Amino acid sequence: MAKKNFLLRELPSVDELLRSPLLKEAAKGYSASFIADAARAVIDEARAGIISGGGEKTGGELAGLVIKKIEEMIDGGIKRVVNATGTILHTNLGRALLSERAVKKVIEAGSFYTNLEFDLEEGARGGRDNFAALLLKGLTGSEDASIVNNNAAAVLLALNTLAEGKEVLISRGELIEIGGSFRLPDIIKKSGCLLKEVGTTNRTHPEDYSDAITENTALILKAHRSNFDLSGFVREVSLKELAAIGDAHKIPVVEDLGSGALVDLSKWGLPREPVVGDRLKTGAACVTFSGDKLLGGPQAGLIAGKKEIIGRIRKNPLKRALRCDKLTLTALEETLKLYLTPANRLAEDLPLLKMMTRDIKDIEKEASRAADILRASLGEDFSVAVQAATSVIGGGSLPGHNLPTRAVAVTHKKLSPEEIFSQFLKKEPPVIGRIKNDKFLLDMRTVKRAEDLLIDSGPPANKTPHGIR
Ligand SMILES: *Cc1c(COP(=O)(O)O)cnc(C)c1O
């Protein structure tokens, strides 16, 4: 105890540590408060170390730790990780990967001035999302379109524009919560509208809507359930039925599609997700959907629908607050252009679709190569085996649909799956796997090639996923 107290008293203060010549030299150029934060953290850690019975550190060692801490702080922030979870649209890992073509254009748009809000034909000011809207009109058959930061913003803006201070009808079975704090009842309230729930959790009938309509009702909202299935004794009012009710009462029907596919995914053997163009044809006055879910582009919220409605949305001051930046719009335009190419090109060029349709033989081949690589590089207390598993699409898209895949299972004589999981997080780049049935799995569907799992391989020759292979 006396020894511990002595060691604690011997710890330098932040100021003393900062005066160390070694540190002064190495930390040149960094702001004083940044270095002081690092020094404070190192002293705190040293104090905790002494209290828990660890040894003392010399002033030189502490200075070295501060330099290491500074390097760690600079290395923090968003960086590349290897997604071996098998979840293709993993919200925690950044959802969709951009196509090579989109990435190239984003670099250009960030490096040079662009015609973001400049009409080159007129030589005058233009609208920033005009071109993306033009593409979207062509791809969905909508009369007009508008783009904001994400689908949550799109829903907020549509509701605020069309129903502020008025009632919005929605089925109790569609009052969804999507991960990451998107709760439809909250969005409806924050958009200034009055939420009016109709029906019950499992069954809603057309009369529930028509009976609830008053002169203060401005909008009927339909929401895609996205991340759960409702089955059993259920009744849902179809968009077609809603459109008829809306027509009879002159009330627009807005649909929050969530993912909103631009093309029919059944073309590739995947389940049919609502296609934006079909929903508009069926009678939605406008639909909202994400840019980084099944569309496979950057984070954005897309609103497509009737000209009159989009015109009002565009004039809403909230649109200015929710508008996208040039990098997003550039990436979105290039992603939308890919949809103008033939289907086989799209499945090749759009990373999302490529992963969703990846041939099991290719996954199997990479899994067995990955197993060999890991066997050679992990210690002999580890065992590595390839096993069949299932990947999911994620991001609230195609809920309940599993894709067959191959995973490399890594087990250890002593380490728990959680400990193995943590070890892989420490790799450079960090490798993120998943734990299933008490086993640590690396799902190869979302790992392009086995070498991506190479442990502590240092920075890859080419940091972008494209062009390496
Ligand atoms: C994902 C989702 C949202 C939120 O979309 P973001 O682009 O993440 O803001 C809203 N509604 C539904 C139905 C969704 O699936």
Side-chain angles (χ1 to χ4, degrees):
M1 198 61 212
K3 167 118 197 275
K4 268 189 194 174
N5 282 337
F6 172 76
L7 290 178
L8 287 172
R9 273 198 306 275
E10 283 291 290
L11 271 176
S13 68
V14 173
D15 279 342
E16 280 164 354
L17 186 53
L18 292 180
R19 280 199 292 274
S20 128
L22 178 67
L23 191 54
K24 273 198 157 145
E25 182 55 32
K28 236 184 219 162
Y30 295 119
S31 87
S33 67
F34 192 66
I35 307 167
D37 282 348
R40 204 168 292 117
V42 164
I43 293 170
D44 286 348
E45 280 164 23
R47 184 177 298 116
I50 293 169
I51 291 169
S52 64
E56 65 203 288
K57 294 218 158 43
T58 66
E61 280 170 335
L62 288 175
L65 286 172
V66 177
I67 294 165
K68 201 164 152 238
K69 179 73 77 189
I70 291 172
E71 281 164 1
E72 277 170 17
M73 281 156 80
I74 289 166
D75 194 42
I78 297 172
K79 63 172 171 182
R80 175 183 178 174
V81 301
V82 176
N83 175 8
T85 65
T87 302
I88 302 174
L89 292 173
H90 199 304
T91 299
N92 301 155
L93 306 183
R95 287 197 190 156
L97 297 187
L98 294 178
S99 63
E100 186 174 353
R101 156 176 191 165
V103 169
K104 277 198 185 127
K105 262 295 191 72
V106 166
I107 293 172
E108 186 178 306
S111 313
F112 298 97
Y113 289 106
T114 59
N115 58 339
L116 178 67
E117 281 188 7
F118 191 80
D119 186 325
L120 291 170
E121 265 167 41
E122 302 287 330
R125 201 193 153 139
R128 64 171 55 207
D129 55 14
N130 285 4
F131 189 67
L134 188 77
L135 290 171
L136 212 50
K137 280 179 348 193
L139 291 165
T140 65
S142 73
E143 291 178 13
D144 204 352
S146 188
I147 326 286
V148 287
N149 263 317
N150 48 44
N151 187 33
V155 175
L156 179 85
L157 181 60
L159 292 176
N160 177 266
T161 307
L162 303 174
E164 190 177 20
K166 302 244 171 80
E167 286 164 6
V168 170
L169 303 190
I170 181 165
S171 161
R172 289 201 165 85
E174 293 172 11
L175 282 172
I176 49 168
E177 170 179 320
I178 310 283
S181 71
F182 177 90
R183 304 182 102 195
L184 210 39
D186 297 341
I187 295 276
I188 294 172
K189 280 174 204 146
K190 284 288 175 193
S191 63
C193 306
L194 305 165
L195 166 67
K196 194 162 182 186
E197 302 174 25
V198 303
T200 61
T201 306
N202 56 329
R203 288 172 74 81
T204 304
H205 303 269
E207 312 80 75
D208 293 330
Y209 286 94
S210 39
D211 291 351
I213 292 175
T214 68
E215 69 260 28
N216 202 30
T217 308
L219 191 148
I220 297 175
L221 181 62
K222 186 163 183 61
H224 187 271
R225 289 202 188 91
S226 293
N227 47 13
F228 73 105
D229 280 322
L230 205 57
S231 61
F233 189 53
V234 295
R235 166 74 159 101
E236 182 182 341
V237 183
S238 70
L239 178 62
K240 195 166 175 190
E241 291 170 301
L242 284 182
I245 296 169
D247 266 353
H249 294 84
K250 305 246 175 318
I251 293 170
V253 178
V254 172
E255 185 168 37
D256 171 13
L257 281 176
S259 277
L262 286 182
V263 286
D264 180 3
L265 294 173
S266 65
K267 220 183 275 183
W268 292 278
L270 295 157
R272 235 189 105 86
E273 265 289 291
V275 176
V276 174
D278 294 347
R279 305 309 274 176
L280 293 169
K281 257 189 237 129
T282 307
C286 92
V287 298
T288 72
F289 53 105
S290 284
D292 56 351
K293 289 187 180 170
L294 285 179
L295 191 90
Q299 181 193 298
L302 289 75
I303 314 173
K306 293 235 160 26
K307 199 175 183 66
E308 185 266 335
I309 286 183
I310 302 294
R312 282 165 65 194
I313 284 175
R314 218 176 260 129
K315 285 202 207 88
N316 186 334
L318 262 187
K319 166 71 207 291
R320 171 62 177 79
L322 302 173
R323 75 181 187 186
C324 295
D325 86 312
K326 61 184 175 183
L327 303 182
T328 301
L329 286 169
T330 304
L332 181 64
E333 287 176 4
E334 293 310 307
T335 306
L336 291 174
K337 282 182 199 169
L338 286 179
Y339 282 89
L340 301 169
T341 59
N344 56 346
R345 280 292 307 275
L346 184 65
E348 187 55 38
D349 293 344
L350 195 68
L352 166 80
L353 199 53
K354 188 166 184 168
M355 277 187 238
M356 290 202 297
T357 58
R358 191 169 172 189
D359 186 358
I360 191 76
K361 286 203 202 82
D362 180 39
I363 302 176
E364 173 111 41
K365 188 181 107 212
E366 289 310 306
S368 101
R369 292 206 314 114
D372 291 343
I373 288 174
L374 291 173
R375 244 176 240 122
S377 61
L378 294 168
E380 53 183 40
D381 286 346
F382 283 92
S383 324
V384 176
V386 175
Q387 65 173 60
T390 48
S391 328
V392 295
I393 302 203
S397 305
L398 307 180
H401 182 68
N402 294 324
L403 299 163
T405 186
R406 296 290 179 268
V408 182
V410 181
T411 49
H412 186 270
K413 281 192 183 140
K414 296 195 197 78
L415 297 177
S416 68
E418 289 76 17
E419 286 166 322
I420 302 174
F421 179 90
S422 304
Q423 281 206 356
F424 274 82
L425 289 188
K426 295 199 183 84
K427 308 303 173 201
E428 192 53 57
V431 173
I432 302 173
R434 70 172 193 264
I435 296 170
K436 180 99 196 274
N437 298 336
D438 217 26
K439 244 193 226 165
F440 177 72
L441 300 182
L442 297 163
D443 187 326
M444 295 303 288
R445 176 176 293 276
T446 45
V447 179
K448 204 155 187 180
R449 25 158 244 176
E451 284 76 9
D452 290 353
L453 297 173
L454 256 185
I455 286 155
D456 294 328
S457 52
N462 180 344
K463 284 244 180 190
T464 66
H466 311 295
I468 318 174
R469 34 241 165 189

